[in-house]
C-alpha cells in the first residue's frame, strides 16, 4: 500500500449527548498534518467519545440525539473520508487470542481482500518490524504467552503496518508499568513519526513527551482549551529542566489551581 | 490428587457400599445383584454387550455430530441474518419444550425401528444446548475487537469469519460438552421405545426376563461409555480451542 501523505483533520461543530446529558456541544479541533495532538483530561470527561466519533465508531444515530448538528463535519485536506484513513489503538492491546503474533500483526490484511502476493510481502515486512522491536522470538507465540508490554508493542506494530496516515490512540499505555510505558512512548515516537496522531491520555508526562500540541478537555459539557505547543523533537527527555517546569505547570492546570 | 486415583477411590467406595447393602439386607439377585455377580455376567456376555454397544455408539456419535452441525448452522443463520432469529427462536424453544420421551414413540412410527429414529431423538435432545450456547457466543463478541475490525475497514462477512466465529468457539465448546453428556441418553431413550439392537434394548430385554445382573452390566457399560466419550470430547475441545482457558 502506498503511504499517503499525512493530512490535516478538521473537526467542526461536533455535538453529542448520552442519556439526555450533553457530553459536548459544538466542539472544534484541528489536527495538524504529520503532527501529534494530545488531549489531556480526567477519566469520563468525553475524550474517548470524541476519538470514537472521529473513528466513526459511534453511529450517526447516536449523534443526532444531541443538538442540531447540521454544520457538523469531520474532514481532511486530501478529501478522502477520514474514517478510511485511520488506524486505532485502544487501551487494551485487542490481540486475538487464537492468532499467533504475526497473524495478529497482519489482521487488517486478513479482514480486507488481499491477494497472496501482497500478503507474503507484508508478512516479511511484519517479520522485520517485529525483529526491530525485539520480538523476534515471539513471532509464532500466542498472546497469552506474552507480557502486557510485549502485547502493546505488537499492537503498535499492527497499527504501523496498516500504513494509514492518521493514528488515533486512546490511552494506549495506561495499563502498563512506568518502565514499559516509557519504552513504548519511545517506540511510538519512532514508528509513527510523520503521521497525524491524536493521542488521548490522562498522563501529563506522556503528553509532554510525545505531543506537538496539548489540549486540555474539562467541564460539563466538556470544552477543549489549548494549553501548549512544543516544537522540539519527540520523544522528549522527561528529566530536562524545561520538561520539569512544564510538567509542574501542566499539573497545576489539571488540578485547577 | 491425580484424576485416575480419585476415580479409582470413588469406584471402590461405591462398589463397597453396593456390596454392603446387598450383604446387610440379604437382597436376592433379582432385586439387586452383588457387584461380583454383575462383573461375572459382564464377562460372560461380553460379546453380546460389545455388539450392542457398537449400535449405541454409532447412534450416539452420529446423533452428536449431526446435532452439532445442525445446531451450529442454525446459530450462524440466527446471528448473521438477524430477522431469522424471531422465526427460529420459537421453534428452538418448542423443540426443547416437548419431552423427548413423549415423542420418541412417534419418531419410531415415522422413522422405523432402525437407527434413524434414535439419531433423530438424540439430535432433538442436544439441538437446543448447542444452538443457544453458540448463538450466545456469537452475540457477545468483545466490542473492542469489533471496533478494531471496523477501523480496519472489514466487511460484515469477514468480520464474522475472522472475529465473531472464533471468538464464539469457547461458548460453543461448553454447549458441546453439555450435548456430549446427554447424547447417550438420547440414543438409549430411542432404543427403549422400539428397537431390536443396542444397549437400551438389552437393558429393557434383560429386565423383562428378570436378568437383573445383565441389566446392570449393560447399565455400567453405558456409564463407562458416556464417561469415556465425555473425556475424549473434552480433550479434543481443549486441543483445538486452547484459548478458552483464559476467558
Amino acid at each position: 500500500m502506498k503511504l499517503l501523505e499525512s493530512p490535516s483533520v478538521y473537526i467542526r461543530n461536533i455535538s453529542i449527548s448520552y442519556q439526555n446529558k450533553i457530553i459536548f456541544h459544538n466542539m472544534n479541533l484541528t489536527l495538524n498534518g504529520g503532527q501529534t495532538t494530545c488531549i489531556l483530561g480526567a477519566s469520563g470527561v468525553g475524550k474517548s467519545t470524541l476519538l470514537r466519533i472521529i473513528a466513526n465508531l459511534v453511529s450517526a444515530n447516536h449523534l443526532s440525539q444531541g443538538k442540531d448538528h447540521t454544520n457538523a463535519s469531520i474532514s481532511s485536506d486530501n478529501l478522502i473520508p477520514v474514517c478510511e484513513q485511520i488506524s486505532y489503538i485502544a487501551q487494551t492491546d485487542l490481540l486475538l487470542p487464537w492468532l499467533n503474533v504475526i497473524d495478529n500483526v497482519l489482521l487488517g490484511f486478513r479482514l480486507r481482500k488481499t491477494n497472496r502476493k501482497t500478503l507474503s510481502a507484508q508478512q516479511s515486512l511484519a517479520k522485520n518490524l517485529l525483529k526491530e522491536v525485539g520480538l523476534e522470538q515471539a513471532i509464532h507465540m500466542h498472546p497469552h504467552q506474552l507480557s502486557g508490554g510485549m502485547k502493546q508493542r505488537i499492537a503498535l506494530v499492527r497499527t504501523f503496518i496498516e500504513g494509514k496516515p492518521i493514528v488515533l490512540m486512546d490511552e494506549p499505555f495506561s495499563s502498563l508499568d512506568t518502565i514499559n510505558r516509557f519504552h513504548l512512548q519511545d517506540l511510538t515516537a519512532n514508528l509513527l513519526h510523520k503521521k497525524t496522531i491524536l493521542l488521548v491520555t490522562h498522563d501529563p508526562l506522556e503528553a509532554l513527551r510525545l505531543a506537538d500540541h496539548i489540549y486540555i478537555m474539562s467541564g460539563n459539557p466538556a470544552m477543549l482549551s489549548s494549553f501548549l505547543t512544543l516544537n522540539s523533537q519527540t520523544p522528549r527527555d522527561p528529566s530536562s529542566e524545561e520538561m520539569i517546569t512544564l510538567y509542574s505547570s501542566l499539573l497545576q492546570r489539571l488540578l485547577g489551581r | 490428587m491425580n484424576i485416575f486415583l480419585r476415580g479409582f477411590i470413588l469406584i471402590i467406595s461405591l462398589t463397597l457400599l453396593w456390596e454392603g447393602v446387598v450383604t446387610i439386607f440379604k437382597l436376592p439377585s433379582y432385586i439387586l445383584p452383588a457387584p461380583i455377580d454383575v462383573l461375572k455376567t459382564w464377562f460372560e456376555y461380553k460379546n453380546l454387550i460389545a455388539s450392542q454397544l457398537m449400535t449405541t455408539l454409532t447412534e450416539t456419535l452420529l446423533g452428536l455430530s449431526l446435532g452439532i452441525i445442525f445446531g451450529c448452522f442454525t446459530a450462524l443463520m440466527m446471528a448473521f441474518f438477524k430477522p431469522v432469529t424471531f422465526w427460529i427462536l420459537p421453534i428452538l424453544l418448542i423443540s426443547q419444550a416437548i419431552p423427548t420421551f413423549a415423542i420418541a414413540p412417534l419418531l419410531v412410527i415415522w422413522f422405523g425401528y432402525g437407527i434413524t429414529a434414535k439419531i433423530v431423538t438424540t439430535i432433538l435432545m442436544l439441538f437446543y444446548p448447542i444452538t443457544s450456547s453458540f448463538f450466545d457466543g456469537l452475540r457477545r463478541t468483545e466490542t473492542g475487537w469489533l471496533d478494531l475490525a471496523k477501523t480496519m475497514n472489514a466487511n460484515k462477512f469477514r468480520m464474522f469469519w475472522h472475529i465473531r466465529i472464533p471468538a464464539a468457539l469457547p461458548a460453543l465448546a461448553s454447549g458441546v460438552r453439555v450435548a456430549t453428556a446427554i447424547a447417550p441418553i438420547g440414543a438409549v431413550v430411542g432404543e427403549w421405545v422400539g428397537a431390536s439392537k443396542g444397549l437400551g434394548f438389552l437393558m429393557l430385554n434383560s429386565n423383562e426376563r428378570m436378568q437383573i445382573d445383565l441389566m446392570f452390566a449393560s447399565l455400567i457399560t453405558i456409564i463407562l461409555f458416556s464417561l469415556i466419550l465425555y473425556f475424549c470430547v473434552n480433550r479434543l475441545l481443549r486441543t483445538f480451542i486452547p484459548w478458552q482457558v483464559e476467558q
Side-chain angles (χ1 to χ4, degrees), chain A residues 80-113:
Chain A
I80 304 170
V82 170
C83 62
E84 285 173 22
Q85 306 181 67
I86 58 142
S87 52
Y88 168 69
I89 302 186
Q91 251 172 68
T92 49
D93 51 76
L94 296 178
L95 297 180
L96 302 175
W98 55 89
L99 295 180
N100 65 17
V101 169
I102 186 137
D103 288 338
N104 259 302
V105 167
L106 296 170
L107 180 68
F109 298 93
R110 292 165 151 260
L111 288 173
R112 291 182 296 265
K113 207 174 174 180

Side-chain angles (χ1 to χ4, degrees), chain A residues 52 97-98 110-112 144, chain B residues 147 152 158 162 166 243 246:
Chain A
R52 292 172 64 82
W98 55 89
R110 292 165 151 260
L111 288 173
R112 291 182 296 265
H144 67 95
Chain B
D147 285 348
M152 289 170 162
R158 278 170 190 269
H162 287 290
W243 62 92
E246 22 164 29

Side-chain angles (χ1 to χ4, degrees), chain B:
Chain B
M1 204 189 292
N2 188 311
I3 180 168
F4 293 106
L5 189 61
R6 228 171 12 194
F8 185 72
I9 292 174
L10 197 67
I11 289 168
I12 291 292
S13 13
L14 282 177
T15 314
L16 283 178
L17 185 70
W18 179 1
E19 181 72 53
V21 169
V22 172
T23 320
I24 292 168
F25 296 103
K26 296 194 180 63
L27 294 173
S29 75
Y30 59 84
I31 302 281
L32 182 65
I36 188 76
D37 294 334
V38 172
L39 202 64
K40 268 187 209 155
T41 314
W42 203 67
F43 278 105
E44 196 181 325
Y45 288 95
K46 64 176 183 298
N47 289 332
L48 177 68
I49 290 176
S51 70
Q52 306 307 312
L53 173 65
M54 282 320 289
T55 309
T56 308
L57 183 79
T58 318
E59 292 160 359
T60 309
L61 290 182
L62 276 173
L64 185 60
S65 332
L66 289 172
I68 292 172
I69 291 169
F70 286 149
C72 288
F73 180 75
T74 315
L76 286 173
M77 285 293 121
M78 281 163 64
F80 199 75
F81 307 106
K82 282 211 183 89
V84 174
T85 314
F86 304 113
W87 296 96
I88 292 184
L89 208 60
I91 299 176
L92 206 65
L93 287 170
I94 291 168
S95 86
Q96 197 60 17
I98 298 172
T100 320
F101 286 83
I103 59 160
L106 194 63
L107 294 176
V108 173
I109 294 172
W110 288 349
F111 298 101
Y113 274 81
I115 196 170
T116 322
K118 287 87 194 168
I119 293 172
V120 174
T121 318
T122 313
I123 293 174
L124 270 179
M125 279 185 99
L126 48 81
F127 183 65
Y128 182 78
I130 300 265
T131 311
S132 71
S133 62
F134 194 31
F135 181 57
D136 244 26
L138 288 169
R139 276 195 307 183
R140 289 185 192 169
T141 321
E142 194 185 318
T143 44
W145 291 338
L146 296 177
D147 285 348
L148 180 71
K150 226 170 158 185
T151 63
M152 289 170 162
N153 308 326
N155 67 29
K156 195 182 170 193
F157 178 75
R158 278 170 190 269
M159 208 185 295
F160 211 77
W161 180 251
H162 287 290
I163 295 185
R164 289 182 66 188
I165 291 179
L169 290 184
L172 173 63
S174 55
V176 169
R177 284 197 190 88
V178 174
T180 310
I182 60 178
I185 305 177
V188 169
V189 167
E191 287 166 1
W192 277 352
V193 286
S196 49
K197 271 185 285 182
L199 285 172
F201 161 75
L202 186 61
M203 273 178 80
L204 221 59
N205 198 280
S206 42
N207 200 358
E208 278 159 12
R209 288 184 287 140
M210 291 297 265
Q211 281 182 295
I212 305 300
D213 46 356
L214 183 56
M215 198 198 119
F216 267 89
S218 329
L219 189 63
I220 284 169
T221 314
I222 293 173
I223 292 172
L224 282 178
F225 156 62
S226 305
L227 285 176
I228 292 167
L229 180 69
Y230 186 85
F231 187 77
C232 294
V233 169
N234 194 31
R235 184 52 73 83
L236 270 177
L237 290 173
R238 274 184 190 207
T239 313
F240 289 105
I241 315 175
W243 62 92
Q244 63 191 329
V245 189
E246 22 164 29
Q247 282 179 347

Side-chain angles (χ1 to χ4, degrees), chain A residues 44-197:
Chain A
V45 76
K47 306 185 300 280
S48 296
T49 310
L50 179 62
L51 193 131
R52 292 172 64 82
I53 291 172
I54 299 169
N56 199 23
L57 292 173
V58 176
S59 65
N61 257 346
H62 203 139
L63 268 170
S64 61
Q65 287 174 8
K67 302 279 170 178
D68 172 42
H69 65 289
T70 41
N71 301 321
S73 70
I74 297 171
S75 57
S76 68
D77 53 11
N78 60 8
L79 302 175
I80 304 170
V82 170
C83 62
E84 285 173 22
Q85 306 181 67
I86 58 142
S87 52
Y88 168 69
I89 302 186
Q91 251 172 68
T92 49
D93 51 76
L94 296 178
L95 297 180
L96 302 175
W98 55 89
L99 295 180
N100 65 17
V101 169
I102 186 137
D103 288 338
N104 259 302
V105 167
L106 296 170
L107 180 68
F109 298 93
R110 292 165 151 260
L111 288 173
R112 291 182 296 265
K113 207 174 174 180
T114 312
N115 64 40
R116 210 165 279 170
K117 213 171 141 196
T118 322
L119 199 64
S120 70
Q122 292 297 334
Q123 216 147 22
S124 53
L125 178 62
K127 272 183 196 159
N128 285 335
L129 273 169
L130 287 167
K131 220 177 275 183
E132 245 172 75
V133 301
L135 287 168
E136 198 178 357
Q137 267 98 38
I139 285 177
H140 297 292
M141 286 188 187
H142 281 77
H144 67 95
Q145 297 167 289
L146 306 169
S147 71
M150 288 163 109
K151 285 195 263 192
Q152 200 57 284
R153 205 168 302 182
I154 293 160
L156 263 179
V157 174
R158 179 182 61 194
T159 307
F160 178 75
I161 211 163
E162 282 284 288
K164 304 276 182 67
I166 305 168
V167 180
L168 305 177
M169 308 178 90
D170 187 1
E171 302 185 12
F173 313 126
S174 58
S175 60
L176 301 179
D177 61 85
T178 316
I179 296 164
N180 261 314
R181 198 182 305 166
F182 200 85
H183 285 313
L184 275 156
Q185 285 162 357
D186 288 350
L187 190 65
T188 305
N190 294 328
L191 268 185
L192 305 179
H193 185 59
K194 289 283 172 206
K195 286 183 192 284
T196 306
I197 300 176

